[in-house]
Coordinates of all heavy atoms in Angstrom, one line a residue:
P29 N 212.5 40.0 -59.5 CA 211.2 40.6 -59.7 C 210.2 39.5 -60.0 O 210.5 38.5 -60.7 CB 211.4 41.5 -60.8 CG 212.5 40.8 -61.7 CD 213.4 40.2 -60.7
V30 N 209.0 39.7 -59.6 CA 207.9 38.9 -60.0 C 207.4 39.4 -61.3 O 207.0 40.6 -61.4 CB 206.8 38.8 -58.9 CG1 205.6 37.9 -59.4 CG2 207.2 38.4 -57.6
R31 N 207.4 38.6 -62.3 CA 207.0 39.0 -63.7 C 205.5 39.3 -63.7 O 204.7 38.7 -62.8 CB 207.4 38.0 -64.7 CG 208.9 37.7 -64.7 CD 209.4 36.8 -65.9 NE 208.4 35.7 -66.2 CZ 208.8 34.4 -66.3 NH1 210.1 34.1 -66.1 NH2 207.9 33.5 -66.6
P32 N 205.1 40.0 -64.8 CA 203.6 40.2 -64.9 C 202.8 38.9 -65.0 O 201.6 38.9 -64.6 CB 203.5 41.0 -66.2 CG 204.8 41.7 -66.4 CD 205.8 40.7 -65.7
D33 N 203.4 37.8 -65.4 CA 202.7 36.5 -65.4 C 202.7 35.8 -64.1 O 202.2 34.7 -64.0 CB 203.2 35.6 -66.5 CG 204.7 35.2 -66.4 OD1 205.3 35.6 -65.4 OD2 205.2 34.5 -67.2
G34 N 203.3 36.4 -63.1 CA 203.3 35.9 -61.7 C 204.5 34.9 -61.4 O 204.5 34.4 -60.3
L35 N 205.4 34.7 -62.3 CA 206.4 33.8 -62.2 C 207.7 34.5 -61.8 O 207.9 35.7 -62.1 CB 206.7 33.0 -63.5 CG 205.5 32.2 -64.0 CD1 205.8 31.5 -65.3 CD2 205.1 31.1 -63.0
I36 N 208.6 33.8 -61.2 CA 210.0 34.3 -60.9 C 210.9 33.2 -61.6 O 210.6 32.1 -61.8 CB 210.4 34.4 -59.4 CG1 210.2 33.1 -58.7 CG2 209.6 35.5 -58.8 CD1 210.7 33.1 -57.3
S37 N 212.1 33.7 -61.9 CA 213.1 32.8 -62.6 C 214.3 32.6 -61.7 O 214.8 33.6 -61.2 CB 213.5 33.3 -63.9 OG 212.5 33.4 -64.9
L38 N 214.6 31.4 -61.5 CA 215.8 31.0 -60.6 C 216.6 29.9 -61.3 O 216.1 29.1 -62.0 CB 215.3 30.5 -59.3 CG 214.6 31.5 -58.4 CD1 213.9 30.8 -57.2 CD2 215.6 32.5 -57.9
P39 N 218.0 29.9 -61.0 CA 218.8 28.9 -61.5 C 218.3 27.6 -61.0 O 217.8 27.4 -59.9 CB 220.2 29.2 -61.0 CG 220.1 30.7 -60.6 CD 218.7 31.0 -60.3
L40 N 218.5 26.6 -61.8 CA 218.1 25.1 -61.5 C 216.6 25.0 -61.6 O 216.1 23.9 -62.1 CB 218.5 24.6 -60.2 CG 220.0 24.5 -59.9 CD1 220.3 24.1 -58.4 CD2 220.7 23.5 -60.8
L41 N 215.8 25.9 -61.1 CA 214.3 25.7 -61.0 C 213.6 26.3 -62.2 O 212.4 26.1 -62.4 CB 213.8 26.3 -59.8 CG 214.4 25.8 -58.5 CD1 213.8 26.5 -57.3 CD2 214.3 24.3 -58.4
H42 N 214.3 27.2 -62.9 CA 213.7 27.9 -64.1 C 212.5 28.8 -63.6 O 212.7 29.6 -62.7 CB 213.3 27.0 -65.2 CG 214.4 26.1 -65.6 ND1 215.5 26.6 -66.3 CD2 214.7 24.8 -65.4 CE1 216.4 25.6 -66.5 NE2 215.9 24.5 -66.0
D43 N 211.3 28.6 -64.1 CA 210.2 29.4 -63.7 C 209.4 28.9 -62.6 O 209.0 27.6 -62.6 CB 209.2 29.7 -64.9 CG 209.9 30.4 -66.0 OD1 210.9 31.2 -65.7 OD2 209.5 30.3 -67.2
V44 N 209.1 29.7 -61.6 CA 208.4 29.2 -60.4 C 207.2 30.2 -60.1 O 207.4 31.4 -60.2 CB 209.3 29.2 -59.2 CG1 208.6 28.8 -57.9 CG2 210.5 28.3 -59.4
Q45 N 206.0 29.7 -59.9 CA 204.9 30.5 -59.6 C 205.1 31.2 -58.2 O 205.3 30.5 -57.2 CB 203.6 29.7 -59.5 CG 202.3 30.5 -59.2 CD 202.0 31.4 -60.3 OE1 202.1 31.1 -61.5 NE2 201.5 32.7 -60.0
A46 N 205.0 32.5 -58.2 CA 205.2 33.3 -56.9 C 203.9 34.1 -56.6 O 203.5 34.1 -55.4 CB 206.4 34.2 -57.0
A47 N 203.3 34.7 -57.6 CA 202.2 35.5 -57.4 C 201.0 34.7 -56.8 O 200.8 33.5 -57.3 CB 201.7 36.3 -58.6
G48 N 200.3 35.2 -55.8 CA 199.2 34.4 -55.2 C 199.6 33.6 -54.0 O 198.7 33.1 -53.3
L49 N 200.9 33.6 -53.7 CA 201.4 32.8 -52.6 C 201.9 33.8 -51.5 O 202.2 34.9 -51.8 CB 202.6 31.9 -53.0 CG 202.3 30.9 -54.0 CD1 203.7 30.2 -54.4 CD2 201.3 29.9 -53.6
T50 N 201.8 33.3 -50.3 CA 202.5 34.1 -49.2 C 203.9 33.8 -49.3 O 204.4 32.8 -49.9 CB 202.0 33.7 -47.8 OG1 202.4 32.3 -47.5 CG2 200.5 33.8 -47.7
P51 N 204.8 34.7 -48.7 CA 206.3 34.4 -48.6 C 206.6 33.0 -48.0 O 207.5 32.3 -48.5 CB 206.8 35.5 -47.8 CG 206.0 36.6 -48.0 CD 204.5 36.0 -48.1
H52 N 205.8 32.6 -47.0 CA 206.0 31.3 -46.4 C 205.7 30.1 -47.4 O 206.4 29.1 -47.4 CB 205.3 31.2 -45.1 CG 205.7 32.1 -44.0 ND1 204.9 32.9 -43.3 CD2 207.0 32.3 -43.5 CE1 205.6 33.5 -42.4 NE2 206.9 33.2 -42.5
A53 N 204.6 30.3 -48.0 CA 204.2 29.3 -49.0 C 205.3 29.2 -50.2 O 205.6 28.0 -50.6 CB 202.8 29.5 -49.6
L54 N 205.8 30.3 -50.6 CA 206.8 30.3 -51.7 C 208.0 29.6 -51.1 O 208.7 28.8 -51.8 CB 207.0 31.7 -52.2 CG 208.1 31.7 -53.3 CD1 207.8 30.9 -54.5 CD2 208.3 33.2 -53.7
R55 N 208.4 30.0 -49.9 CA 209.6 29.3 -49.3 C 209.5 27.8 -49.3 O 210.4 27.1 -49.6 CB 209.7 29.9 -47.9 CG 211.0 29.2 -47.1 CD 210.8 29.3 -45.6 NE 209.6 28.6 -45.2 CZ 209.0 28.9 -44.0 NH1 209.5 29.8 -43.2 NH2 208.0 28.2 -43.7
D56 N 208.3 27.3 -48.9 CA 208.1 25.9 -48.8 C 208.1 25.2 -50.2 O 208.8 24.2 -50.4 CB 206.7 25.6 -48.2 CG 206.7 26.0 -46.7 OD1 207.8 26.2 -46.1 OD2 205.6 26.0 -46.1
A57 N 207.6 25.9 -51.2 CA 207.6 25.4 -52.6 C 209.1 25.4 -53.1 O 209.5 24.4 -53.7 CB 206.7 26.2 -53.5
L58 N 209.8 26.4 -52.8 CA 211.2 26.5 -53.3 C 212.1 25.4 -52.5 O 212.9 24.7 -53.2 CB 211.9 27.9 -53.0 CG 211.2 29.0 -53.9 CD1 211.8 30.3 -53.5 CD2 211.5 28.7 -55.4
T59 N 211.9 25.3 -51.3 CA 212.6 24.2 -50.5 C 212.3 22.8 -51.1 O 213.2 22.1 -51.3 CB 212.2 24.3 -49.0 OG1 212.5 25.6 -48.5 CG2 212.9 23.2 -48.2
K60 N 211.1 22.5 -51.4 CA 210.7 21.3 -51.9 C 211.4 21.0 -53.3 O 212.0 20.0 -53.5 CB 209.2 21.1 -52.1 CG 208.7 19.8 -52.6 CD 207.2 19.7 -52.7 CE 206.8 18.4 -53.2 NZ 205.4 18.3 -53.3
R61 N 211.4 22.0 -54.2 CA 212.0 21.9 -55.5 C 213.5 21.8 -55.4 O 214.1 21.1 -56.2 CB 211.5 23.0 -56.4 CG 210.0 22.9 -56.7 CD 209.5 23.5 -57.9 NE 210.3 23.5 -59.1 CZ 210.1 24.3 -60.1 NH1 209.1 25.2 -60.0 NH2 210.8 24.2 -61.2
L62 N 214.1 22.6 -54.6 CA 215.5 22.6 -54.4 C 216.0 21.3 -53.8 O 217.2 20.9 -54.0 CB 216.1 23.8 -53.6 CG 216.0 25.1 -54.4 CD1 216.4 26.2 -53.4 CD2 217.1 25.1 -55.5
S63 N 215.2 20.6 -53.0 CA 215.6 19.4 -52.4 C 215.9 18.3 -53.4 O 216.6 17.3 -53.1 CB 214.6 18.9 -51.4 OG 213.4 18.5 -52.0
E64 N 215.5 18.5 -54.7 CA 215.8 17.5 -55.7 C 217.3 17.7 -56.1 O 217.9 16.8 -56.7 CB 215.0 17.8 -57.0 CG 213.5 17.5 -56.7 CD 212.7 18.0 -58.0 OE1 213.2 18.0 -59.0 OE2 211.5 18.2 -57.8
F65 N 217.9 18.8 -55.8 CA 219.3 19.1 -56.2 C 220.3 19.2 -55.1 O 221.5 19.1 -55.3 CB 219.3 20.5 -57.0 CG 218.4 20.6 -58.2 CD1 217.1 21.1 -58.1 CD2 218.9 20.0 -59.4 CE1 216.4 21.1 -59.2 CE2 218.0 20.0 -60.5 CZ 216.8 20.6 -60.4
M66 N 219.8 19.4 -53.8 CA 220.7 19.5 -52.7 C 220.0 18.9 -51.5 O 218.8 18.8 -51.4 CB 221.1 21.0 -52.5 CG 219.9 21.9 -52.2 SD 220.4 23.6 -52.1 CE 221.0 24.0 -53.7
T67 N 220.8 18.6 -50.5 CA 220.3 18.0 -49.2 C 219.9 19.1 -48.3 O 220.6 20.1 -48.0 CB 221.4 17.2 -48.5 OG1 221.9 16.2 -49.5 CG2 220.9 16.5 -47.3
D68 N 218.7 19.0 -47.8 CA 218.1 20.0 -46.8 C 218.4 21.5 -47.1 O 219.1 22.1 -46.3 CB 218.6 19.6 -45.4 CG 218.2 18.2 -44.9 OD1 217.1 17.8 -45.3 OD2 218.9 17.5 -44.3
P69 N 217.9 22.0 -48.2 CA 218.1 23.4 -48.4 C 217.4 24.3 -47.4 O 216.3 23.9 -47.0 CB 217.5 23.6 -49.9 CG 216.6 22.5 -50.0 CD 217.1 21.4 -49.2
E70 N 218.0 25.4 -47.0 CA 217.4 26.4 -46.1 C 217.1 27.6 -46.9 O 218.0 28.2 -47.4 CB 218.3 26.7 -45.0 CG 218.5 25.6 -44.0 CD 217.3 25.3 -43.1 OE1 216.5 26.2 -42.8 OE2 217.0 24.1 -42.7
V71 N 215.8 27.9 -47.1 CA 215.4 29.0 -48.0 C 214.7 30.1 -47.2 O 213.9 29.7 -46.3 CB 214.5 28.5 -49.1 CG1 214.1 29.6 -50.0 CG2 215.2 27.4 -49.9
S72 N 215.0 31.3 -47.5 CA 214.2 32.4 -46.9 C 213.7 33.2 -48.1 O 214.4 33.4 -49.1 CB 215.1 33.3 -46.1 OG 215.5 32.6 -45.0
V73 N 212.5 33.8 -47.9 CA 211.9 34.6 -49.0 C 211.5 35.9 -48.3 O 210.7 35.9 -47.3 CB 210.7 34.0 -49.6 CG1 210.0 35.0 -50.6 CG2 211.0 32.7 -50.3
I74 N 212.0 37.0 -48.7 CA 211.8 38.3 -48.2 C 211.2 39.3 -49.3 O 211.8 39.4 -50.3 CB 213.0 39.0 -47.5 CG1 213.6 38.0 -46.5 CG2 212.8 40.3 -47.0 CD1 215.0 38.4 -46.1
V75 N 210.1 39.9 -49.0 CA 209.5 40.9 -49.9 C 210.2 42.1 -49.7 O 210.1 42.8 -48.6 CB 208.0 41.0 -49.8 CG1 207.5 42.0 -50.8 CG2 207.3 39.6 -49.9
T76 N 211.1 42.6 -50.6 CA 211.9 43.8 -50.4 C 211.3 45.0 -51.0 O 211.6 46.2 -50.5 CB 213.3 43.6 -50.9 OG1 213.2 43.3 -52.3 CG2 214.1 42.5 -50.2
D77 N 210.4 44.9 -52.0 CA 209.8 46.0 -52.6 C 208.3 45.6 -53.1 O 208.2 44.8 -53.9 CB 210.6 46.4 -53.8 CG 210.3 47.8 -54.3 OD1 209.4 48.5 -53.8 OD2 210.9 48.3 -55.3

Side-chain angles (χ1 to χ4, degrees):
V30 180
R31 300 188 322 231
D33 63 0
L35 301 175
I36 58 172
S37 296
L38 292 169
L40 296 177
L41 305 181
H42 307 291
D43 294 337
V44 179
Q45 181 67 40
L49 300 176
T50 65
H52 292 130
L54 179 57
R55 177 200 63 201
D56 293 345
L58 293 174
T59 299
K60 181 177 179 180
R61 293 202 40 199
L62 283 171
S63 65
E64 297 174 21
F65 302 98
M66 60 186 66
T67 305
D68 298 323
E70 290 290 327
V71 180
S72 296
V73 175
I74 302 166
V75 180
T76 58
D77 196 359

